Amino acid sequence: MPMQPWFREAKLGVFLHYGVYAVDGVPESWAFYHGDVPHERYMSQLGRFTASAYDPGEWAAVFARAGARYAVLTARHHDGVALWDTGQGDLSVVARSPAGRDLVAPYTEALRERGLKVGLYYSHSDWNHPDYATAVHPQPHDEEMRTNPYASARPGQEDPEAWARFLAYRDAQVGELVTRFRPDLLWFDGEWERSEEQWGLSALAELILAGNPDTVLNARMLSHGDYATPEQGVPVVAPEGPWELCLTVNDSWGFQHHDHRHKSVRQLVRHLAETIGMGGNLLLAVGPREDGTIPAEQAARLEGLGEWVAKHAAAVYGTVAGLPAGHHYGPSTLSADRRTLYLMCFDAPRETVSLRGLRTPVKRVRVMGSGTALEHRVVGGLGGVPGVLWIDAPQAEDVDAYATVLAVELDGEPELYRGTGRD
């Protein structure tokens, strides 16, 4: 299936790790997997998970103000606790928590009312399912995965029938998500614990696409994925094809009481600019409290980012990757018609902004937000080596607090010189 155009054009999404782990503020699922929290204590959070202030309409309003075009909610993490009324056992917040209701349906409805695309996260692995630790990856990538009792069978204790039952359970749950909620995107995880053949991903992809052929799948569907998902750091070299950087607002995916290391709005603007400048999307993660409220510090950062995005929307949405490194000291994007370059300047420009190796004549340069026109000129150049385009720096009143964007209107598509200069 060809990639859905909305994904490449969206540029910004919000990632929500919401589940019982927010009660005690422990790492989602990993807390008991690594033995940091006893399993019994971890699962006791189910009895204290209320979602008492859960208002997905308010979530969607915040996401829209942030400039996000989609969101992804953890419908079921590695701990196996479903946020919807699954027919596959009773390990859900509907059946076993004071929340007592489906949390996925109102989320999908709220996003669609705002015109946002609906993403649902689902982990292939389930460290609570009795049939899960009945197989072993043929080439486990680390010793812990091979020996952890939640992840793998003990040597000689593999049980193919039990594993088949687990896959039937997994397929049934994914089928519920597809038929009930028709997500625009399914964000899988946990794929590292089995091989593609063991997971039966061909059959799973067929099941999903039969229910909704327009579903976007991430790379954790392995060869059936549509786009790459690097985490927690802008790649130095962009992945091939569509991709999305998954980045936390603080240091944690889910809510953790002690984590106050929130990135500033300026840092988030930089992450977004660098990501879209390389042709990717930013999926920015926040962790709601167990009652369903997004911490004020995180909501404020989403909205601060949204103010910058709204001011520079043409440089964000529907653009493609800009100039390769070396032409401009900062990221850039290129309009869909390939006639406008958007140069992003994180620091206040002094005297001039330079653009090197551009052969295409420039018609006009203006400051986004204010529309102020800037004088510009080409200096130097010899033979086939173009001169440097020097753009006068904007005045202080035109400089953005987070990143100033200059729209460079071209007389044709950009033609770049990539050589080493005349000998």
Side-chain angles (χ1 to χ4, degrees):
M1 292 294 294
M3 185 57 161
Q4 296 301 311
W6 73 260
F7 181 84
R8 285 184 180 271
E9 296 166 2
K11 304 303 177 183
L12 179 63
V14 178
F15 208 179
L16 298 132
H17 281 65
Y18 183 45
V20 299
Y21 36 84
V23 174
D24 291 338
V26 297
E28 56 291 329
S29 307
W30 296 99
F32 74 82
Y33 179 90
H34 289 310
D36 300 327
V37 174
H39 181 264
E40 183 178 356
R41 172 69 183 180
Y42 182 95
M43 297 307 295
S44 76
Q45 294 175 104
L46 259 172
R48 294 173 282 134
F49 181 78
T50 67
S52 58
Y54 180 57
D55 183 355
E58 177 56 27
W59 279 12
V62 171
F63 304 161
R65 291 194 293 271
R69 295 291 176 87
Y70 66 108
V72 178
L73 171 67
T74 48
R76 202 215 72 189
H77 207 267
H78 314 316
D79 60 14
V81 180
L83 298 191
W84 76 99
D85 189 14
T86 180
Q88 305 302 308
D90 69 347
L91 188 51
S92 73
V93 299
V94 181
R96 291 176 55 181
S97 84
R101 65 193 188 282
D102 184 331
L103 302 180
V104 175
Y107 156 84
T108 62
E109 293 165 5
L111 261 60
R112 289 187 169 124
E113 286 176 3
R114 290 276 177 175
L116 304 178
K117 296 294 186 181
V118 172
L120 294 176
Y121 167 113
Y122 184 89
S123 174
H124 292 294
S125 56
D126 183 339
W127 296 332
N128 264 311
H129 196 284
D131 290 325
Y132 182 70
T134 58
V136 181
H137 194 297
Q139 295 180 311
H141 64 72
D142 62 42
E143 182 68 9
E144 183 179 27
M145 189 180 84
R146 188 181 65 80
T147 60
N148 191 295
Y150 296 111
S152 301
R154 303 280 62 76
Q157 296 182 14
E158 295 86 351
D159 186 339
E161 292 183 0
W163 181 246
R165 289 195 301 269
F166 174 78
L167 292 182
Y169 147 83
R170 190 270 320 265
D171 290 351
Q173 282 203 324
V174 173
E176 290 174 351
L177 296 179
V178 172
T179 56
R180 292 188 202 176
F181 310 118
R182 294 189 64 80
D184 302 288
L185 184 153
L186 277 171
W187 208 105
F188 286 95
D189 201 6
E191 82 295 342
W192 61 86
E193 290 197 331
R194 301 289 187 268
S195 68
E196 181 162 345
E197 182 180 6
Q198 286 175 311
W199 285 127
L201 294 187
S202 293
L204 181 61
E206 185 176 338
L207 178 155
I208 295 166
L209 297 177
N212 180 11
D214 294 333
T215 310
V216 175
L217 305 174
N218 72 337
R220 301 176 194 199
M221 278 289 287
L222 301 177
S223 69
H224 298 278
D226 296 310
Y227 70 95
T229 54
E231 292 185 16
Q232 294 291 50
V234 179
V236 175
V237 177
E240 291 186 12
W243 63 281
E244 167 192 80
L245 171 65
C246 311
L247 183 79
T248 53
V249 169
N250 54 5
D251 288 343
S252 309
W253 297 105
F255 176 72
Q256 295 192 29
H257 306 81
H258 66 277
D259 187 353
H260 303 294
R261 290 169 52 88
H262 294 90
K263 299 171 180 67
S264 67
V265 174
R266 181 173 287 105
Q267 288 173 317
L268 295 177
V269 167
R270 291 182 76 130
H271 278 296
L272 175 63
E274 290 169 351
T275 300
I276 65 176
M278 296 173 68
N281 288 0
L282 178 63
L283 186 63
L284 192 57
V286 297
R289 297 184 182 88
E290 69 83 19
D291 66 1
T293 57
I294 296 174
E297 304 94 331
Q298 298 193 355
R301 282 159 174 79
L302 289 178
E303 300 205 18
L305 177 61
E307 291 175 4
W308 184 87
V309 169
K311 182 179 176 181
H312 305 95
V316 176
Y317 301 120
T319 59
V320 297
L323 300 167
H327 290 276
H328 162 62
Y329 293 108
S332 62
T333 57
L334 181 63
S335 60
D337 67 2
R338 304 184 68 81
R339 293 299 191 276
T340 305
L341 272 170
Y342 298 100
L343 309 181
M344 301 176 189
C345 306
F346 297 132
D347 299 315
R350 297 182 179 182
E351 186 180 349
T352 53
V353 174
S354 66
L355 180 53
R356 297 181 291 169
L358 179 67
R359 286 193 170 117
T360 312
V362 172
K363 296 165 62 177
R364 184 168 73 133
V365 180
R366 56 190 168 83
V367 184
M368 294 200 72
S370 69
T372 300
L374 299 177
E375 294 295 323
H376 55 91
R377 70 206 65 83
V378 175
V379 177
L382 182 64
V385 182
V388 176
L389 175 71
W390 294 98
I391 303 167
D392 287 353
Q395 298 297 308
E397 59 268 23
D398 290 326
V399 172
D400 187 85
Y402 301 130
T404 304
V405 181
L406 308 183
V408 180
E409 298 177 17
L410 306 174
D411 188 17
E413 295 192 11
E415 182 183 352
L416 301 179
Y417 173 75
R418 299 287 290 162
T420 58
R422 182 177 176 182
D423 292 337

